[in-house]
Amino acid sequence: MSDPESPPEIEQGESGPVAREPERREPVFNLPPVVLAVIGICVAVHLIRVYWLTDDQDFELLVRAAFVPIRYSGRFDLDFFAFSSPFTYAFLHGGFAHLAINMVWLAAFGSPLANRFGALRFSLFFAATGLAAVALFWAMHPLGEAPLVGAAGAISGMMGAAARYGFRIDRSSGKAAFAGQPLPMAAVLRSRGVVTFLAMWMVINLATGLFGLAPGIDGQIAWEAHIGGFLAGFFGLRFFDRREQVPRQADEPET
């Protein structure tokens, strides 16, 4: 959806009428195609599981596509799904509330990141942070039998990247993107807003994971996976960010 263009407004200048260009208005729905694709896949997979598959078929799907830590304990042969499930688990969700919450956060944090990285690098970032999420989860629960599902690990990586950019948004091109170079660690620690966000994020994740304070979501929240994804996005985003930035002017204030 996009807004129709408005005719230029006429202002009275010193030498006569002057046309003034209308202000750029960002469309209501301005999600990058790669973000829409991820949301579409997650929604489609969940609808198929709920309305199409039988209980036995859904169980078979979970065994193959969800991340199950005990699969890597040495007690089982490593098949194709042992290598694919650390990536495919992100497209499965435990319920409609779980799906809805993750997709809202994906749209909010993934859109500016995708506009900055581009579709390919964003896809690689999504895969890498999701992999880091299950890696930490496996390290803490190597014999866990419960299947891990959900895109929250990768989305936490996007939140970590947003913190490194100091949440600076550039809308000059009409597509919101994180602006400027990633903040060095010293600047992150000096930013009250970023430090506050980091502290609140950690407290909320520990509270929801350890005490189950997540309304509308059944089952345990894998806070370990969230932290794994967040750390990967926070420390590893420079491997994916190759965008040339205009040097900041000397009089431009820091965030």
Side-chain angles (χ1 to χ4, degrees):
M1 178 183 296
S2 59
D3 295 329
E5 294 185 1
S6 302
E9 299 181 9
I10 306 299
E11 292 183 345
Q12 189 66 31
E14 295 182 357
S15 58
V18 178
R20 181 169 64 88
E21 291 296 328
E23 296 181 359
R24 182 191 296 272
R25 290 187 295 176
E26 189 173 346
V28 176
F29 300 105
N30 195 27
L31 299 182
V34 65
V35 174
L36 284 174
V38 173
I39 293 176
I41 293 173
C42 291
V43 172
V45 168
H46 192 70
L47 292 177
I48 290 173
R49 291 182 60 202
V50 172
Y51 296 110
W52 194 333
L53 301 184
T54 65
D55 290 342
D56 290 340
Q57 290 172 330
D58 187 54
F59 177 78
E60 292 297 324
L61 176 64
L62 285 175
V63 170
R64 289 167 171 77
F67 181 80
V68 184
I70 198 173
R71 188 199 302 266
Y72 309 92
S73 64
R75 304 178 184 180
F76 307 94
D77 294 333
L78 295 180
D79 56 7
F80 170 80
F81 301 106
F83 297 96
S84 62
S85 60
F87 302 98
T88 57
Y89 82 98
F91 299 102
L92 305 172
H93 289 82
F96 280 106
H98 186 206
L99 174 67
I101 292 173
N102 277 353
M103 295 305 98
V104 168
W105 288 114
L106 172 61
F109 286 91
S111 295
L113 197 65
N115 283 329
R116 178 177 175 115
F117 284 0
L120 177 59
R121 291 189 183 119
F122 177 82
S123 300
L124 294 175
F125 181 87
F126 184 92
T129 51
L131 182 61
V134 294
L136 183 59
F137 186 81
W138 172 83
M140 300 189 70
H141 306 281
L143 299 180
E145 299 181 5
L148 176 67
V149 298
I155 296 169
S156 295
M158 300 173 198
M159 294 180 179
R164 284 296 303 277
Y165 292 120
F167 306 102
R168 298 165 300 185
I169 295 293
D170 177 17
R171 301 180 185 274
S172 60
S173 65
K175 296 181 178 181
F178 290 119
Q181 293 289 347
L183 297 175
M185 291 298 115
V188 170
L189 297 178
R190 290 198 307 266
S191 174
R192 181 179 301 178
V194 174
V195 171
T196 301
F197 169 80
L198 294 176
M200 292 182 61
W201 186 90
M202 186 64 68
V203 169
I204 291 173
N205 273 274
L206 291 177
T208 55
L210 297 178
F211 304 107
L213 303 178
I217 298 180
D218 298 327
Q220 186 177 1
I221 302 299
W223 58 271
E224 306 93 336
H226 296 182
I227 293 177
F230 188 93
L231 292 176
F234 187 82
F235 291 106
L237 71 94
R238 288 185 180 274
F239 293 103
F240 304 92
D241 186 11
R242 296 293 183 269
R243 176 176 168 182
E244 294 292 334
Q245 297 295 325
V246 178
R248 189 176 57 199
Q249 301 298 323
D251 58 349
E252 183 179 346
E254 293 185 358
T255 303

